[in-house]
């Protein structure tokens, strides 16, 4: 705690003393000038020899650290773009299926549609909070024109689902779907639209994808990351998938989430380029193993990725 800060030159000297090679010193200085030491260190952690007092293994190079960092950035961007496709479609499916079944726009206020009453109440208040702070013109116009608008209760003037849910975050949508009563036909219909026959599997996938979205949105590391929530193997699916089940290790790695994203994107749009983009990325960074993301050997030959 409260250690003396190091300059860029001191950081580099410290790493050199531990055995890190710096083939391109100018590039290293430039990287450290815009990316913090604390952020970069997780890209070299596996290069440290466990049998020493923090020294690097022979051949450890800062050029490899840079490649890993750039790969991680590019993968996050590809995933984030694909998740937008899923999020927008998910929002539309909820609005369409639930509104048509209820034949009204205020179904989201009906607690009988949800398993847990407290979670339902929290969901509605989250929706109204997000709607009130939105900068979208239609949200600001609605609030300005409805003097009985009340963001802190169920009462007052409430906008129809196709207005308020359009503002909802992915996390709020995920929680709402998870809390829908399991026997509701609309819950299954939404999952079926995404090519899954189990709404429980779909709920799991959406929840983990929401976690991934937040990581990508905050520019956090995916390299060698494990998720607290595991991705489930789908019990029933309409489209091509993997030849075998995930390993327990893969279930909590970015690979499993990427598989779920690939499957859902193809269900939404068979011409979606996500799978191709990931394969092109692997080709671009062919010197960096995707194993740290949980990708197995020859993953590109799996039916899902072809």
């Amino acid at each position: 705690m409260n250690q003396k800060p190091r300059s860029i030159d001191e950081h580099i000297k410290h790493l050199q003393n531990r055995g890190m090679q710096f083939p391109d010193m100018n590039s290293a200085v430039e990287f450290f000038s815009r990316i913090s030491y604390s952020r970069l260190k997780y890209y070299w952690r596996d290069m440290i020899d466990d049998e020493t007092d923090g020294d690097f293994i022979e051949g450890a190079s800062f050029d490899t650290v840079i490649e890993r960092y750039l790969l991680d950035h590019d993968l996050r961007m590809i995933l984030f773009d694909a998740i937008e496709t899923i999020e927008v479609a998910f929002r539309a499916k909820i609005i369409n299926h639930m509104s048509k079944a209820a034949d009204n726009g205020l179904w989201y206020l009906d607690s009988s549609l949800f398993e847990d009453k407290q979670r339902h109440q929290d969901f509605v208040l989250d929706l109204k909070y997000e709607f009130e702070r939105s900068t979208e013109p239609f949200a600001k116009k609605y609030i300005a024109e409805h003097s009985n608008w009340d963001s802190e209760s169920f009462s007052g003037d409430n906008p129809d689902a196709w207005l308020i849910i359009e503002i909802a975050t992915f996390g709020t949508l995920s929680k709402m779907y998870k809390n829908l009563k399991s026997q509701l036909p609309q819950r299954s219909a939404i999952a079926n639209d995404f090519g899954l026959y189990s709404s429980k599997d779909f709920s799991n996938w959406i929840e983990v994808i929401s976690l991934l979205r937040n990581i990508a949105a905050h520019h956090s590391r995916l390299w060698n990351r494990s998720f607290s929530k595991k991705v489930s193997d789908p019990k029933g699916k309409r489209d091509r998938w993997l030849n075998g089940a995930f390993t327990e290790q893969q279930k909590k790695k970015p690979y499993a989430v990427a598989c779920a994203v690939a499957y859902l994107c193809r269900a939404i749009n068979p011409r979606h380029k996500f799978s191709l983009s990931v394969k092109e990325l692997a080709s671009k960074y062919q010197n960096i193993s995707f194993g740290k993301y949980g990708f197995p050997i020859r993953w590109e030959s799996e039916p899902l990725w072809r």
Side-chain angles (χ1 to χ4, degrees):
M1 292 175 60
N2 200 26
Q3 297 180 29
K4 182 181 178 181
R6 292 187 182 127
S7 66
I8 291 175
D9 288 343
E10 287 171 333
H11 277 313
I12 292 175
K13 189 64 176 178
H14 173 70
L15 293 172
Q16 283 179 320
N17 290 339
R18 292 167 57 191
M20 175 76 76
Q21 298 174 9
F22 286 83
D24 187 341
M25 189 60 72
N26 290 334
S27 179
V29 171
E30 189 272 332
F31 247 71
F32 274 121
S33 71
R34 60 185 176 86
I35 305 168
S36 73
Y37 180 96
S38 296
R39 184 178 181 86
L40 284 173
K41 70 180 182 181
Y42 289 98
Y43 295 91
W44 69 61
R45 290 288 288 269
D46 63 313
M47 297 181 185
I48 296 174
D49 189 342
D50 292 335
E51 296 183 0
T52 66
D53 189 22
D55 291 337
F56 289 99
I57 59 176
E58 186 176 352
S61 171
F62 194 73
D63 282 1
T64 302
V65 176
I66 292 176
E67 269 206 288
R68 288 176 172 185
Y69 185 87
L70 294 176
L71 161 62
D72 207 46
H73 168 271
D74 291 351
L75 181 59
R76 287 198 309 273
M77 294 302 100
I78 291 171
L79 282 162
F80 194 74
D81 181 67
I83 291 170
E84 178 190 352
T85 298
I86 297 169
E87 181 177 349
V88 171
F90 183 36
R91 187 178 286 115
K93 301 296 184 185
I94 289 174
I95 292 171
N96 293 340
H97 282 290
M98 297 299 296
S99 300
K100 288 178 181 177
D103 198 28
N104 70 75
L106 297 179
W107 57 264
Y108 63 92
L109 299 173
D110 184 359
S111 63
S112 69
L113 298 174
F114 298 87
E115 297 282 3
D116 187 292
K117 298 285 193 290
Q118 184 59 54
R119 288 181 182 176
H120 169 249
Q121 180 176 322
D122 293 341
F123 152 69
V124 172
L125 295 180
D126 283 346
L127 265 185
K128 299 186 78 171
Y129 171 76
E130 291 164 6
F131 192 78
E132 184 169 71
R133 60 196 293 267
S134 172
T135 57
E136 287 289 347
F138 66 84
K140 298 178 75 170
K141 182 174 184 291
Y142 181 91
I143 293 172
E145 292 179 351
H146 291 78
S147 58
N148 290 327
W149 162 259
D150 181 5
S151 65
E152 298 181 355
S153 74
F154 279 47
S155 61
D157 293 336
N158 291 296
D160 288 315
W162 42 89
L163 287 180
I164 196 166
I165 288 180
E166 191 59 36
I167 297 298
T169 66
F170 199 177
T172 297
L173 293 175
S174 171
K175 292 174 185 176
M176 187 224 73
Y177 182 83
K178 186 176 183 178
N179 196 33
L180 284 174
K181 285 192 171 176
S182 56
Q183 66 269 30
L184 275 179
Q186 305 89 273
R187 180 181 161 104
S188 296
I190 292 169
N192 289 343
D193 281 352
F194 285 93
L196 293 175
Y197 301 147
S198 166
S199 60
K200 186 176 180 180
D201 286 338
F202 181 65
S203 179
N204 166 266
W205 282 17
I206 287 296
E207 185 177 357
V208 184
I209 290 171
S210 175
L211 294 175
L212 173 61
R213 182 207 174 279
N214 291 338
I215 289 170
H218 291 91
H219 322 297
S220 297
R221 169 184 52 88
L222 286 177
W223 177 264
N224 205 24
R225 178 183 287 273
S226 294
F227 292 88
S228 56
K229 182 80 175 177
K230 294 181 181 180
V231 175
S232 63
D233 283 297
K235 296 178 181 63
K237 62 260 181 213
R238 182 181 64 224
D239 303 318
R240 61 182 186 266
W241 181 238
L242 305 172
N243 287 321
F246 292 128
T247 66
E248 286 303 307
Q249 180 70 5
Q250 286 171 345
K251 284 181 180 180
K252 57 185 180 181
K253 284 292 186 179
Y255 169 68
V257 197
C259 287
V261 169
Y263 185 90
L264 296 181
C265 282
R266 183 172 288 144
I268 297 165
N269 177 7
R271 295 176 298 280
H272 201 282
K273 301 297 185 183
F274 173 73
S275 296
L276 177 62
S277 296
V278 176
K279 288 189 288 186
E280 289 176 344
L281 190 67
S283 178
K284 178 181 178 182
Y285 293 97
Q286 55 187 299
N287 294 328
I288 305 298
S289 171
F290 272 47
K292 291 295 180 181
Y293 296 112
F295 282 67
I297 298 172
R298 292 184 292 277
W299 59 270
E300 304 100 321
S301 64
E302 290 280 0
L304 173 69
W305 295 101
R306 290 205 297 267

